[in-house]
Amino acid sequence: SSPHLVQVRERIRINGRPISKDLFNKYFWLVYNRLEETKDPVHASMPAYFRFLTIMAFHVFLQEKVDLAVVEVGIGGTYDCTNIIREPVVCGVSSLGIDHTSILGDTMEKIAWQKGGIFKPGVPAFTVAQPERPLEVLRERAQERKVSCCWGCGWGVPHGRGLSLLSPQCPLYLCPELDDFEEGCRALELGLAGAHQRSNAALALQLARTWLQRRGCQGLGELKEVPPSTELLGRPVPLAPAFQLTDEMIQGLRDTEWLGRTQVLSHGPVTWYLDGAHTTSSIQACVRWFRQAALNQDKPHDGSEVRVLLFNATGDRDTAALLKLLVPCHFDYAVFCPNFTEVSVANNADQQNFNVTLENALTRCLENQRTWTRLLEEKVGQDPWLPSPLRVGGLLQPAPSRGSLLLVPPAPRPLNSPALVFPCLAQALRWVAQGRDPHLAAPVASGAHSHPAASSGAVLLREAAAVRVLVTGSLHLVGGVLRLLDPMLSQ
């Protein structure tokens, strides 16, 4: 899976745990040296970062003799370097969203075409509810594979339900809603919060059952007939039947954990809400989750509540569109900073991006700051109850003693309006927590926090009965925050 949050070893897991440092070191050098010895003598090229790790992952799985490898594509599918498996057991496409447009295309149809590139002849594939046209593209991509599946993956669907049992091209199935699995049993509990995780769970169940059935496992639960109301005639993609879940499946859904996704860390009066949402659809889901988890809670009886947004986005993403979706959360402060945990990243190679300089990253943060300010000003114009905010500006100033750039936060502004930029995550988190999170040191009394805007905000943060912080936008940002809030993840 990719990207990693804290350590690169997270990308290659066996039995759910990142491989050990010793194992990673062993296979890294084995693969590296083998490639070095056999590379093209003319071009002398080595695989790039992601391609190297993909090769290494496959080598690890082969050498460690895993029974099953679950492989997430990197970007897209058709031309992704993970797409070299000629005959996987089963393929799945989760909910589509607009992302990586410079590579995959700027429409859902173009992205669906890329995703459908993982389909293989004779291999069943599943997807979840999609908009009509992208779903048709997925169907067309499946039909291009000239598959003769004909429900031959063992579903045992009864005849007489309008199924095209003789159709030569029907490898792709639509997953039923998770509600369909709950009939006759208790409501399913999911370890991952958010309504969007229900479609992910439905897809996971279909993929798991296909694999288990391939292995000849018994007691997988009886298939449920497709009710007449959901007959498949006229559907662009046939609907797979639900089935009775086993106790292990129910437990698996309940116990699933994934760091950085709808994750809550309660550290005394400061509560961190982390969700690596970086597309329009995922930010919308993040807002729904955050409002339910934090904003709908009663105000503390013994004091005020301060809400803070910590945001960054990378690549070609439309940050203005993402930030606009976050405005309704009514944050008191918005904090922007690069994904670097420290201004100096010499001791943090796993989270260093060699393609982005600190200056470029800070420039992006300043753009986000200006965008947030403009969005708030527009909001004020629509809502007469909100105070009129002042203009915000940022100034990059050299700090010779540290050999780096520090950002002087903007001028003072009323509550519900300040937007600040910090040069690294450590400084941003220390300012937000104000020494009230036992995992973080108190902010420095001078230097980057000496500006009046940072000082006035610090008073409110120190006196609030509850500080609720949403960290979102970039998975790399979330990973950096996790590294600072939970040092054990770096071990």
Side-chain angles (χ1 to χ4, degrees):
S1 64
S2 62
H4 62 272
L5 291 173
V6 178
Q7 296 193 81
V8 66
R9 296 183 293 110
E10 299 167 25
R11 295 174 181 242
I12 307 175
R13 301 168 183 254
I14 295 180
N15 294 332
R17 300 181 64 85
I19 61 175
S20 67
K21 291 182 179 180
D22 289 342
L23 211 57
F24 186 93
N25 183 63
K26 168 187 172 181
Y27 286 120
F28 176 91
W29 288 113
L30 193 155
V31 173
Y32 184 91
N33 291 333
R34 190 75 57 83
L35 290 171
E36 182 71 29
E37 295 166 359
T38 58
K39 67 184 179 183
D40 188 325
V42 178
H43 299 95
S45 60
M46 289 282 282
Y49 183 81
F50 185 82
R51 291 191 175 191
F52 179 90
L53 290 174
T54 301
I55 296 170
M56 178 178 163
F58 284 130
H59 187 73
V60 170
F61 295 150
L62 287 168
Q63 296 301 309
E64 296 297 315
K65 297 180 173 57
V66 300
D67 302 299
L68 166 68
V70 182
V71 180
E72 180 197 31
V73 300
I75 296 179
T78 299
Y79 304 116
D80 191 79
C81 64
T82 60
N83 193 26
I84 63 170
I85 306 171
R86 296 179 180 177
E87 190 177 352
V89 173
V90 62
C91 297
V93 176
S94 58
S95 181
L96 297 173
I98 298 292
D99 198 14
H100 302 293
T101 54
S102 62
I103 300 174
L104 305 181
D106 55 1
T107 68
M108 292 278 278
E109 291 80 4
K110 292 177 181 177
I111 292 174
W113 188 92
Q114 296 280 358
K115 300 292 184 180
I118 67 172
F119 299 153
K120 300 293 184 294
V123 175
F126 297 88
T127 190
V128 298
Q130 311 280 8
E132 181 178 359
R133 182 55 191 148
L135 185 59
E136 290 177 354
V137 172
L138 289 177
R139 180 195 61 185
E140 292 166 2
R141 291 288 276 161
Q143 291 176 338
E144 290 172 4
R145 295 298 181 264
K146 307 293 183 185
V147 185
S148 179
C149 180
C150 304
W151 294 89
C153 54
W155 287 110
V157 180
H159 290 255
R161 286 297 179 192
L163 305 183
S164 300
L165 293 174
L166 300 179
S167 171
Q169 298 169 336
C170 54
L172 178 64
Y173 314 127
L174 192 65
C175 294
E177 298 291 336
L178 197 61
D179 294 351
D180 296 334
F181 291 90
E182 295 179 339
E183 295 178 7
C185 66
R186 60 184 181 276
L188 296 171
E189 298 178 29
L190 299 185
L192 298 177
H196 58 291
Q197 296 294 354
R198 294 183 65 82
S199 68
N200 290 337
L203 178 60
L205 288 171
Q206 301 288 356
L207 300 180
R209 190 181 193 279
T210 303
W211 159 252
L212 293 169
Q213 191 172 47
R214 172 78 168 263
R215 290 291 297 270
C217 295
Q218 302 298 317
L220 295 181
E222 295 297 323
L223 292 172
K224 299 179 179 180
E225 283 195 17
V226 178
S229 61
T230 56
E231 285 191 2
L232 308 182
L233 283 177
R235 284 180 176 267
V237 174
L239 183 70
F243 52 89
Q244 185 178 354
L245 303 186
T246 65
D247 291 341
E248 290 80 7
M249 290 177 175
I250 294 173
Q251 180 182 352
L253 295 178
R254 184 178 62 244
D255 295 345
T256 297
E257 295 180 350
W258 200 255
L259 296 180
R261 293 291 192 184
T262 60
Q263 182 180 1
V264 180
L265 295 175
S266 297
H267 292 179
V270 184
T271 305
W272 306 88
Y273 301 83
L274 300 94
D275 191 30
H278 50 267
T279 66
T280 299
S281 57
S282 61
I283 284 286
Q284 290 172 331
C286 173
V287 168
R288 289 192 296 268
W289 163 72
F290 179 66
R291 289 172 70 92
Q292 181 177 2
L295 304 188
N296 290 340
Q297 294 184 1
D298 295 333
K299 290 275 188 178
H301 295 296
D302 55 346
S304 63
E305 174 184 293
V306 176
R307 299 186 293 274
V308 181
L309 169 67
L310 179 57
F311 178 90
N312 191 39
T314 59
D316 56 2
R317 295 180 176 89
D318 185 354
T319 54
L322 302 182
L323 289 171
K324 186 175 182 178
L325 296 172
L326 291 162
V327 170
C329 290
H330 302 296
F331 292 104
D332 300 306
Y333 297 96
V335 176
F336 304 98
C337 72
N339 294 337
F340 302 118
T341 51
E342 303 281 354
V343 174
S344 172
V345 292
N347 297 322
N348 187 25
D350 272 2
Q351 292 181 310
Q352 184 170 358
N353 186 342
F354 295 96
N355 298 316
V356 179
T357 65
L358 176 60
E359 289 81 359
N360 289 340
L362 282 172
T363 298
R364 184 76 176 267
C365 292
L366 286 169
E367 294 172 355
N368 292 337
Q369 181 193 44
R370 286 191 290 268
T371 298
W372 183 258
T373 303
R374 176 179 56 79
L375 290 170
L376 286 176
E377 290 172 346
E378 294 173 356
K379 180 69 174 176
V380 168
Q382 302 167 5
D383 190 344
W385 295 103
L386 291 178
S388 178
L390 304 175
R391 289 284 175 183
V392 171
L395 177 64
L396 286 175
Q397 293 184 343
S401 62
R402 299 187 60 179
S404 62
L405 289 175
L406 294 181
L407 188 78
V408 176
R413 295 182 50 190
L415 193 64
N416 264 336
S417 60
L420 297 89
V421 176
F422 292 96
C424 68
L425 273 166
Q427 291 188 22
L429 295 190
R430 283 197 292 267
W431 179 80
V432 171
Q434 289 297 316
R436 305 181 71 189
D437 185 329
H439 296 81
L440 297 169
V444 182
S446 60
H449 299 170
S450 60
H451 195 275
S455 301
S456 62
V459 173
L460 294 172
L461 290 166
R462 284 196 297 267
E463 294 179 352
V467 178
R468 307 192 189 281
V469 190
L470 175 63
V471 183
T472 191
S474 167
L475 279 167
H476 300 288
L477 177 82
V478 170
V481 170
L482 278 172
R483 180 177 183 270
L484 294 169
L485 294 180
D486 188 357
M488 289 301 296
L489 291 175
S490 299
Q491 301 303 315

